Amino acid sequence: MFVYEKKLQYPVRIKTPNPKLAAFIISQYGGPDGELGASLRYLSQRYSMPYPELKALLTDIGTEELGHLEMIGAIVHQLTRKLTDEEVQNSPAFAPYFVDHTTGVYPTAASGAPWNAASIAVKGDVIADLTEDLAAEQKARVTYDNILRLSDDPDVNDVIRFLREREVVHFQRFGEAIRLAKEKMDQKNVYFTNPAFDR
């Protein structure tokens, strides 16, 4: 069971609307390497994880990613609140999004492709899933790096830097998890096998 704390993990206080920037940042909401996919990936992978401490890690990080999804949604909302028709018309990057969603926060990539479950990987194999998680955190970090390259808003950049740092921490935690999983798999009489193939 989750307990919802009614505040963001890190404050989001965007002063200046910027639909062009929102059109880039929405990718971390519902893009292929965004927070929605990350949270569902980890919260789904935990069921087949054979070690309690790794189940707990996936639950913790998956839950934190839900908080990051909320932060990205807050950024996009604050960047697009109270837009005039002229501001939308002068933002060719945001206008197509506006046509379909007005200023609602919708899970999509910056390219316009809507989120779908094909962007997450859940294999049920300890090493495959944890290796996927390492890659996912690196890809999210690169996306945040790209957003920082495109953004000149200090309010946005402050939050994006926080989120980027959390991706680095998660990458490190998944690296530790792979090491722990391999140690457990190599213990005498406890080697993890897939009974469908390893008889």
Side-chain angles (χ1 to χ4, degrees):
M1 183 171 103
F2 298 103
V3 177
Y4 179 67
E5 189 173 345
K6 296 183 180 182
K7 68 175 191 173
L8 296 176
Q9 184 182 10
Y10 191 87
V12 177
R13 296 185 187 97
I14 311 300
K15 295 182 211 66
T16 308
N18 186 335
K20 178 181 175 183
L21 192 51
F24 303 143
I25 292 174
I26 196 66
S27 222
Q28 277 303 88
Y29 193 80
D33 306 311
E35 304 294 356
L36 177 60
S39 61
L40 293 177
R41 175 187 303 109
Y42 306 147
L43 293 174
S44 297
Q45 287 175 350
R46 68 188 174 146
Y47 292 103
S48 59
M49 195 56 59
Y51 309 116
E53 53 270 72
L54 299 184
K55 276 185 201 281
L57 176 68
L58 287 164
T59 302
D60 289 348
I61 295 177
T63 304
E64 184 178 349
E65 299 290 11
L66 288 172
H68 295 173
L69 180 71
E70 187 177 34
M71 291 170 63
I72 293 295
I75 293 171
V76 171
H77 169 70
Q78 290 180 26
L79 285 171
T80 59
R81 68 178 182 267
K82 300 178 184 175
L83 290 178
T84 66
D85 290 344
E86 183 181 3
E87 287 173 315
V88 173
Q89 290 169 354
N90 290 332
S91 179
F94 183 74
Y97 178 95
F98 181 84
V99 168
D100 290 336
H101 311 292
T102 317
T103 57
V105 178
Y106 177 77
T108 185
S111 64
W115 185 86
N116 70 64
S119 65
I120 68 172
V122 179
K123 198 66 173 171
D125 178 87
V126 179
I127 301 302
D129 281 348
L130 292 173
T131 302
E132 167 64 26
D133 299 343
L134 280 170
E137 293 298 325
Q138 281 295 90
K139 290 185 281 186
R141 183 204 42 85
V142 169
T143 303
Y144 283 127
D145 288 345
N146 292 340
I147 290 169
L148 288 169
R149 288 183 181 101
L150 296 171
S151 172
D152 60 358
D153 185 320
D155 296 331
V156 170
N157 293 353
D158 180 52
V159 182
I160 296 299
R161 283 190 187 96
F162 170 82
L163 291 166
R164 182 192 180 281
E165 288 171 15
R166 296 307 300 159
E167 304 298 348
V168 172
V169 170
H170 294 168
F171 179 85
Q172 292 168 334
R173 297 292 310 278
F174 284 129
E176 294 164 3
I178 287 177
R179 189 191 73 238
L180 178 65
K182 287 180 178 178
E183 288 171 4
K184 287 186 171 288
M185 291 164 64
D186 286 337
Q187 290 174 359
K188 187 176 181 181
N189 298 323
V190 190
Y191 191 83
F192 184 75
T193 62
N194 183 337
F197 299 107
D198 303 324
R199 296 179 189 216

